[in-house]
Amino acid sequence: MAVTALKDYQFEPADRVENFHGNQLLYVGWEDHLLFCAPFAFPFPPAMRFGDVVEQVLPAAFGYHPDFAKIDWAAAQWFKSGQPWTPDFNKSLADNGLGHKDVIRFRTPGLTGIKGACS
Amino acid sequence: MDMNVPKKKLSLKEKYSHMTRGLDWEPSYQSKDDVYPYAKYEGIKIHDWDKWEDPFRLTMDAYWKYQAEKERKLYAIIDAYAQNNGHLSVTDARYINTVKLFLTGVSPLEYMAHRGFAHVGRQLPGAGPRVACLMQSIDEIRHAQTQVHSLSNYNKYYNGLHDFRHMHDRVWYLSVPKSFFDDAITAGPFEFMVAIGFSFEYVLTNLLFVPFVSGAAYNGDMSAMTFGFSAQSDEARHMTLGLEVIKFMLEQDPDNLPIVQRWIDKWAWRGTRVLTLVAMMMDYMLPKRIMSWKEAWEVYFEENGGALFKDLARYGITMPKCIEDITKEKEHLSHQAWATFYNYGAAAAFHTWTPDEDEMNWLSEKYPDSFDKYYRPRLEYWRDEAAKGNRFYNKTLPMLCQVCQIPMLFTEPDDPTKICYRETQYKDDKYHFCSDHCKAIFEHEPEKYIQSWLPVHQIYQGNCFPEGTDPTAEGFDPLAAVLAYYHMNFGRDNLDFEGSEDQKNFDAWRGVATSND
């Protein structure tokens, strides 16, 4: 049994995808920019276009940073669960292979935060 | 002639023995396993409860007498402090934010400790530990009460203290201490004793209480200092009990060793994660610093804890593996934690700020290898932007660790520029962790942690708005709805210290108290 318990103990996970009203969770982190203390969590419909996440959502989340306006998205490097990964901006999250609670990160070469301190 | 020889009075030891062993009995019409249903399922084997050495021998009459005396003194000081407007003699109003964090984050844990020890005191089959747990249970409810009473004085004058119990069960950062204790209290009685009795009360307690009580003393807070001292003699008893429990389990059966070791590893880590809040309090929130978090860790863990684990080595217990990573983290912990609260200062029930120049220099001096290189640039940037009217408030919710529930703010043990990401798959879902240690805890008991009430996910599920809220209505403001659910008053309890009502009132009242205008 995957828990120390007196008797049989099995429950649904608190965060199964059915609980998010048609959305799934996606976590997004920006490497070398710890001005943002932690990666972000977002609820998105799986049919959402990946490019819309980058163009519509990320500016509000990361736009405070002076580096954000300098990002060349064509040069950005992406990682999924830490492994190099290439998203297709015109495909949906689902078609990009992103499922519930996947974590992606992007690195923006040449941009290393406030005073180059990864802040 | 008959001599009327007065009967010799019982010694304390005899009295205690009568109260414990003497009042215990063997059940005859129920099986012992039915009377103590939680005693065996964790796998701990106890052959002879009479081998338990009572670590302290305190009878009920003596207990009431001591505690009543302490309470009389404590309440006299609290009253005097209140009557003399003692709150105006603290170093500056920023200090009061540590009080807010303590009342909302720690005092409710004292109450949970009361419940936990009452439960364990019922469930352990040995009479000696049952009585010891009962007394600790009473201590803990006293601590909760005296803290609430001492700190309630601040609630008359300052924001953010008005609904601490409601907040404790709901607010995102308070889920960290809450889930820590919920994890302990939902474990079996032996694990609870290792989690709270040993790891928290013995190994880590100095890192919580010394900084807080000394911090209160250094910053002119007589009332918090007094309840700290009033609890001190109890804490000494709690520590003895925590250590006795470990030794007893290890002496009873060699099969207990791996189980106990795993619990020590787990709870040393869980406890230290909770102490992240103390680290940032010491380095950022106390206007008059006592020592840095790094120094406190070196004194209270590396020196004292090192000696303890040397002592336990004869039972086969080794230093928890996580200590190596915690030792690396001591350079970074407080800075990363404070940066997080600065980010989410719109959703906290206390104020945040950037350290002034003197304070930054103090941090550089205390953290020569990390502060200037990694943390000063971001604090200076925030400070300069705030001066231009562009104070940073992060409005996007963070990713959380499934086990400790802290936002994923911790960096790789060997690279302070990279967030530490760990993940695992269990059944249909992915789970994410801040560290190898939280991941290992999950993987040992996934069925427990897949139920974690993670505040960010709960908000996205729509479970953290006031009743009757329609999140689909036009103009719906999720942050406002979540703060309403938390009972947090926007603009009063949260945001930067600079410009806060607390700051203005404190300055005005202190002005009245110290000048003739």
Side-chain angles (χ1 to χ4, degrees), chain B residues 1 39 109 125 139 153 197 228 258 291 331 384 420 437 447 463 481 499 506:
Chain B
M1 131 189 174
L109 300 190
D139 286 338
N153 185 41
M291 57 168 77
E331 296 279 352
D384 297 346
C420 184
H437 311 292
E447 289 292 339
N463 298 334
F506 184 83

Side-chain angles (χ1 to χ4, degrees), chain B residues 24-136:
Chain B
D24 194 31
W25 71 93
E26 285 296 315
S28 52
Y29 58 91
Q30 289 285 342
S31 81
K32 215 164 177 186
D33 286 346
D34 288 342
V35 177
Y36 301 106
Y38 296 96
K40 289 184 177 159
Y41 81 94
E42 297 171 275
I44 292 290
K45 294 174 185 160
I46 304 295
H47 305 288
D48 185 2
W49 281 101
D50 280 336
K51 291 270 162 58
W52 169 271
E53 296 248 2
D54 299 310
F56 46 86
R57 299 186 182 96
L58 192 57
T59 54
M60 269 303 158
D61 54 341
Y63 180 82
W64 290 135
K65 210 175 109 200
Y66 293 144
Q67 303 299 9
E69 186 55 33
K70 283 199 295 187
E71 300 271 280
R72 264 194 296 278
K73 288 181 184 151
L74 171 67
Y75 282 94
I77 291 171
I78 295 175
D79 281 349
Y81 188 77
Q83 283 168 18
N84 294 317
N85 279 322
H87 65 100
L88 294 178
S89 56
V90 301
T91 37
D92 84 52
R94 290 181 304 166
Y95 167 76
I96 295 154
N97 294 291
T98 65
V99 170
K100 299 175 192 179
L101 192 55
F102 195 88
L103 180 68
T104 53
V106 179
S107 300
L109 300 190
E110 302 272 12
Y111 179 72
M112 289 308 284
H114 152 70
R115 291 180 56 182
F117 281 101
H119 175 66
V120 172
R122 163 65 184 84
Q123 296 300 342
L124 289 178
R130 276 212 305 272
V131 172
C133 287
L134 167 70
M135 286 193 194
Q136 180 156 354

Side-chain angles (χ1 to χ4, degrees), chain B residues 1 5 10 25 96 134 150 201 204 210 223 225 242-243 281 297 354 363 366 462 510:
Chain B
M1 131 189 174
V5 181
L10 291 174
W25 71 93
I96 295 154
L134 167 70
S150 304
E201 297 270 3
L204 299 173
V210 176
S223 62
M225 188 186 84
L243 190 59
M281 181 191 99
W297 177 259
T354 49
L363 289 163
K366 294 293 180 186
R510 179 122 92 181

Side-chain angles (χ1 to χ4, degrees), chain A residues 1-7 9-21 23 25-43 57-58 60-62 64-67 80-82 97 99-107 114-119, chain B residues 37-38 41-42 186 191 262 336 339-340 343-344 373-375 377-378 380-382 385-386 390-394 396-400 402 407-411 416-419 421 423 426-427 429-432 442 444-448 450-454 456-458 460-463:
Chain A
M1 196 158 40
V3 64
T4 308
L6 270 177
K7 43 194 154 188
Y9 186 94
Q10 285 193 39
F11 293 90
E12 294 291 349
D15 296 319
R16 60 203 193 112
V17 69
E18 290 82 353
N19 296 351
F20 289 86
H21 313 288
N23 291 322
L25 292 180
L26 180 67
Y27 306 111
V28 185
W30 184 8
E31 295 289 272
D32 308 330
H33 289 79
L34 297 177
L35 194 77
F36 306 99
C37 58
F40 291 129
F42 297 101
V57 179
L58 297 193
F62 291 112
Y64 183 88
H65 201 292
D67 278 355
K80 184 183 163 201
S81 290
H100 183 48
K101 298 213 278 176
D102 263 328
V103 59
I104 58 173
R105 303 182 235 174
F106 60 97
R107 216 184 133 248
I114 308 297
K115 293 189 176 165
C118 295
S119 274
Chain B
Y38 296 96
Y41 81 94
E42 297 171 275
T186 50
E191 184 177 348
R262 192 170 45 70
Q336 296 176 353
T340 302
N343 266 244
Y344 293 106
K373 194 168 171 197
Y374 303 111
Y375 304 106
R378 88 183 59 148
E380 287 180 346
Y381 183 78
W382 283 330
E385 288 300 303
N390 187 31
R391 204 286 196 189
F392 180 45
Y393 288 112
N394 192 338
T396 312
L397 304 184
M399 177 182 184
L400 307 180
Q402 186 77 24
M408 297 268 294
L409 61 97
F410 303 101
T411 49
T417 68
K418 295 261 177 263
I419 295 284
Y421 292 84
E423 65 176 69
Y426 180 69
K427 292 185 177 170
D429 285 298
K430 282 200 169 73
Y431 295 91
H432 300 272
F442 177 93
H444 186 75
E445 290 189 280
E447 289 292 339
K448 186 170 194 179
I450 61 172
Q451 297 176 69
S452 295
W453 194 91
L454 298 180
V456 168
H457 296 177
Q458 290 298 319
Y460 285 145
Q461 290 182 30
N463 298 334

